[in-house]
Every structure is written in C-alpha cells, then in structure tokens.
Amino acid sequence: MWRSRFAGPPIAVLLTGAVLLACDDHDDSLFTGEREPVLVPAAWQGEWNVTTVGRLCDQPDTLSFHEEVEYLCQGEPLTTRFLPLGLECEGTATDTRIDVECDFDGSEGTCRLTINVDWTMTRNGDDFTGTARVHWVSTGGCDPDTTLCVDYTFAGTRVGDGLDGCFPQP
C-alpha cells in the first residue's frame, strides 16, 4: 500500500469526487463483483521517492505533477494515489513487474459512473517506472455528464527499507 507523506489529492480523485457528489449519495455496494487484491511482493517493499505526472490522454500538456516519499509494504493490497475511490482491482505482481486492472460501475438514480484503470509497473533493483490510464464516464443526468481520460507516468527510487513506515505482518 502506498503510504504517502503528500497531503494533497491528485486531480483524478478531485474530479471523481465531484462526479460522485453530482450523483448524490454513493453506495459502495455498487462495485462490480468481488476481486482479490494484488498484494505487494517482498521485493517491492520499501520507502520510495516517487514522481507522478498526469496528462489528459493523448495530450502533451501536464495536468498534475506530484513528487513525494511513499511506502510499499509487503503483503498489503497495492493501491496508489491515482486510483480514485478505492476501486476493486485484480492483477499480478512479481518481483519485477506489476500489472493491475481496476473497475468501478455504480449508479444513483439516473446518474451512472464507470471508471476503468489499467496500470503497469516494472522494477529493476531500486528503481521502477510505470504507466496508468484512468478513464471514467458519467452519464444519465449526472451534473455534469463527463468523459475524462488521464494518462499517468511515474518513476520511483527506493530510499529506504520501509521498516519505519510499514506495520509488522501477522
């Protein structure tokens, strides 16, 4: 799990929150099925200096930029700041590569929100790089109806073993 020292939310989370507020009350029971979380392998545990850049899909201009120190903790579900809501995710994680797909499909009244995330990271020693595409659509009377796609690129360098930021595993 990413445990960040950065306090501000990324644009994806802010926009998704606005869409959900437009849909009135949100019910977490609207997730699309049960999925097993992707767990952080031991080789990825550590304190990482991570840079994340967000751009509207297929556009050159930077939408968001974050640089922070984050923790990946062995055995915990893999999440990150560009995943709005705590989406249900599934995928694979090895010592050198992580591939994750996340989905949300929910509605309130006539407002319907669909979010899809495809996310890949590769690690070489104490460095990793990755990409993610976050695509969401709100339709059916949401205020406003929106289609938005954001591409994220990120890179990290391990700066510590993570022991001070990770809780002991049972």
Side-chain angles (χ1 to χ4, degrees):
M1 173 184 212
W2 292 113
R3 291 199 175 100
S4 178
R5 292 185 185 163
F6 176 79
I11 191 78
V13 174
L14 294 174
L15 292 172
T16 301
V19 169
L20 288 175
L21 288 175
C23 288
D24 202 7
D25 294 324
H26 171 65
D27 181 353
D28 285 336
S29 67
L30 299 174
F31 282 114
T32 58
E34 296 293 323
R35 293 187 171 185
E36 292 294 321
V38 178
L39 301 180
V40 174
W44 289 79
Q45 178 165 311
E47 181 180 3
W48 297 83
N49 184 21
V50 180
T51 301
T52 306
V53 178
R55 293 181 173 84
L56 292 176
C57 292
D58 305 318
Q59 299 295 318
D61 295 334
T62 298
L63 182 64
S64 65
F65 176 87
H66 299 283
E67 186 171 4
E68 61 259 336
V69 174
E70 300 184 15
Y71 292 89
L72 276 175
C73 302
Q74 177 184 352
E76 290 191 4
L78 187 65
T79 62
T80 190
R81 68 177 24 266
F82 61 78
L83 289 178
L85 300 174
L87 302 177
E88 290 200 0
C89 302
E90 65 184 359
T92 59
T94 68
D95 286 352
T96 58
R97 185 175 173 94
I98 296 174
D99 291 292
V100 179
E101 182 181 302
C102 307
D103 299 300
F104 174 84
D105 192 6
S107 62
E108 179 68 34
T110 61
C111 178
R112 180 169 192 82
L113 175 63
T114 303
I115 303 172
N116 302 100
V117 179
D118 290 312
W119 173 23
T120 300
M121 296 189 330
T122 55
R123 185 185 65 80
N124 184 3
D126 288 334
D127 295 303
F128 75 82
T129 59
T131 61
R133 178 165 275 198
V134 179
H135 186 253
W136 56 95
V137 178
S138 63
T139 59
C142 301
D143 185 19
D145 284 353
T146 305
T147 298
L148 185 61
C149 180
V150 178
D151 284 329
Y152 290 94
T153 56
F154 39 93
T157 300
R158 191 179 343 234
V159 294
D161 60 16
L163 295 179
D164 59 339
C166 294
F167 301 106
Q169 299 298 312

